[in-house]
Amino acid sequence: MVVSDSGSTGAQSTRADIWVWSVRFFKTRSLATAACKAGHVKVNGERAKPAQIVRVGDEVRVMTDREHIVQVRGILTKRVGAPLAQAAYLDRTPALPPRVEQPSAVQRERGRGRPTKRDRRELDRLRGRGG
């Protein structure tokens, strides 16, 4: 098998676990295989087994820290550098929603120690838990 500089073999297809590993969604091939077995990789909406074939034009959904939706643009069989890996797919993942700012929790003055029973009742009243 002859591999070019980009890691592409000129093949028309490859295994799902090899492809998601080679485009750097997982650090090791065994992690990619385990993710396929666990159902964290879908090809064209179907749950992908590790040996499922991936072809150019397929939609691949990978669940890592969040769901990534990509369209296959190139077939890779070897792990390559990040710029080459990103060229092998078209990222269709929706942008993350803006972070909602939450009010800070009630904080005690530094050095006051644990709250007394009276302080606890006041905190509960502030939080709407007591009468």
Side-chain angles (χ1 to χ4, degrees), residues 32-41 47-50:
T33 303
C36 289
K37 288 179 181 177
H40 298 298
V41 178
R47 186 174 164 176
K49 292 183 179 179

Side-chain angles (χ1 to χ4, degrees), residues 51-62:
Q52 179 163 344
I53 299 298
V54 175
R55 293 183 175 87
V56 174
D58 286 349
E59 178 189 77
V60 178
R61 291 175 180 256
V62 180

